[in-house]
Amino acid sequence: MLHLHRRYRELEEGKGGHSQLLAKILGKRLEPTTQRLIVADFRSGEPARQKGAAQLLGSLGKVAVPLLIDIIKKEEDFRIRQIAASLLAELGTEGAELLYILDNKDSAVREAAFQLIERLSDDQVIKLLLNYVNSRDTQLAVAAMECLGRLKSASAVELLTSVLRSSREVERLLAACQALGRIADPSSIDPLAKILESRGVFFFRRRPHAKVRAAAAHALSNIHHPAVIKVFARLVYDDDPRVREVARSIVSDKMPSSPERS
């Protein structure tokens, strides 16, 4: 199989007339017997057999994707699941189906999925990732928002700001603020400012959690826009020392020596 796939790549590069025929043959799903043999090699605990199975699956491209996903979903051995997840991530765009198993509770599987997402970072992947922002699974939603922040996806800003308006979960709100801070889009200035300046209405008649306000302050400080300075100018004497410190670092050259008294 390894030889055939190498030969296929050679034919494809040389535009040989036999490449399409060979691609059709190699594109067929692995026979159940072959799949069982590969899984048996993974489970054997013998390094040589495991290495051979990994090399084979790594060379098969998209043909290996269904089997790798099946191993991740069903295999009890953590190390085997981890190897399968890593192989799937290495398949690049052909391994995009990994996105559909983000609901897996295994942290190693999720980590591999998000590593793949960050490498792909195309429109389809971003769209799929956005679907997880409002997941009932808080940890999954948080991980999705963190990933969108690292990808600096401007298309995520509207959805992330909606989280600020609708969620009461501190963990989700922190993740949304942090992601917006990494994206640093000026359109998120007002939603972040509302959190900082709210006295109750924005959060169902309760003031935002102190950690959320601090996260909003740090996020806002990453956005380079004149409107940010105006927001922080109103917060240089904030009750929260974390917010106050960020505000003063932004407007220190314009801050009066003492608060105005009426």
Side-chain angles (χ1 to χ4, degrees):
M1 291 294 290
L2 287 168
H3 172 74
L4 286 171
H5 276 272
R6 281 196 294 268
R7 181 59 180 150
Y8 167 65
R9 285 192 289 272
E10 291 171 0
L11 289 171
E12 191 176 37
E13 290 171 3
K15 306 297 181 184
H18 296 291
S19 63
Q20 291 183 353
L21 176 60
L22 187 54
K24 185 177 180 180
I25 295 171
L26 295 176
K28 292 182 179 180
R29 187 181 179 91
L30 293 173
E31 292 291 332
T33 303
T34 305
Q35 293 187 38
R36 287 194 293 271
L37 287 171
I38 293 172
V39 172
D41 280 348
F42 269 124
R43 290 174 174 168
S44 68
E46 299 176 25
R49 290 178 65 184
Q50 289 181 329
K51 182 180 178 180
Q55 286 179 331
L56 173 59
L57 290 177
S59 72
L60 295 181
K62 61 184 179 182
V63 174
V65 170
L67 177 57
L68 288 170
I69 290 177
D70 200 49
I71 291 172
I72 291 169
K73 287 181 176 180
K74 297 179 180 179
E75 183 56 49
E76 294 181 1
D77 189 307
F78 171 78
R79 186 171 178 275
I80 294 175
R81 293 200 308 272
Q82 197 169 35
I83 293 172
S86 298
L87 285 170
L88 194 54
E90 288 173 7
L91 291 176
T93 54
E94 292 179 339
E97 287 162 61
L98 184 56
L99 296 172
Y100 294 102
I101 58 170
L102 281 172
D103 289 324
N104 193 297
K105 302 298 182 183
D106 191 311
S107 60
V109 175
R110 284 187 176 179
E111 183 180 354
F114 283 112
Q115 287 175 355
L116 170 60
I117 289 169
E118 289 182 42
R119 286 212 295 273
L120 298 179
S121 66
D122 56 31
D123 291 341
Q124 183 182 8
V125 169
I126 296 296
K127 184 177 180 180
L128 288 168
L129 190 58
L130 289 171
N131 291 333
Y132 290 104
V133 170
N134 290 318
S135 170
R136 293 182 179 181
D137 183 335
T138 299
Q139 295 303 317
L140 178 57
V142 167
M145 287 187 274
E146 289 174 346
C147 191
L148 287 166
R150 288 192 292 270
L151 291 172
K152 300 185 186 299
S153 173
S155 60
V157 171
E158 184 177 352
L159 185 57
L160 290 169
T161 55
S162 74
V163 172
L164 298 184
R165 290 192 297 269
S166 61
S167 180
R168 301 190 191 190
E169 292 183 64
V170 171
E171 199 171 358
R172 288 178 188 263
L173 293 168
L174 289 173
C177 286
Q178 291 162 359
L180 288 170
R182 286 180 168 176
I183 298 170
D185 191 298
S187 64
S188 62
I189 292 175
D190 285 345
L192 291 169
K194 284 182 179 179
I195 289 180
L196 287 165
E197 298 178 331
S198 174
R199 291 296 180 268
V201 176
F202 194 70
F203 275 73
F204 307 97
R205 302 187 182 280
R206 293 187 300 174
R207 190 175 188 182
H209 192 284
K211 287 185 179 180
V212 178
R213 292 188 75 242
H218 283 289
L220 197 59
S221 69
N222 290 328
I223 304 174
H224 302 291
H225 192 280
V228 171
I229 298 174
K230 294 180 180 179
V231 174
F232 280 124
R234 300 191 290 270
L235 298 167
V236 292
Y237 301 110
D238 193 86
D239 295 338
D240 190 316
R242 292 170 295 184
V243 175
R244 188 166 64 241
E245 182 181 356
V246 175
R248 293 187 179 189
S249 70
I250 299 296
V251 298
S252 57
D253 60 327
K254 299 181 180 180
M255 186 182 69
S257 57
S258 60
E260 296 180 3
R261 298 182 179 275
S262 56

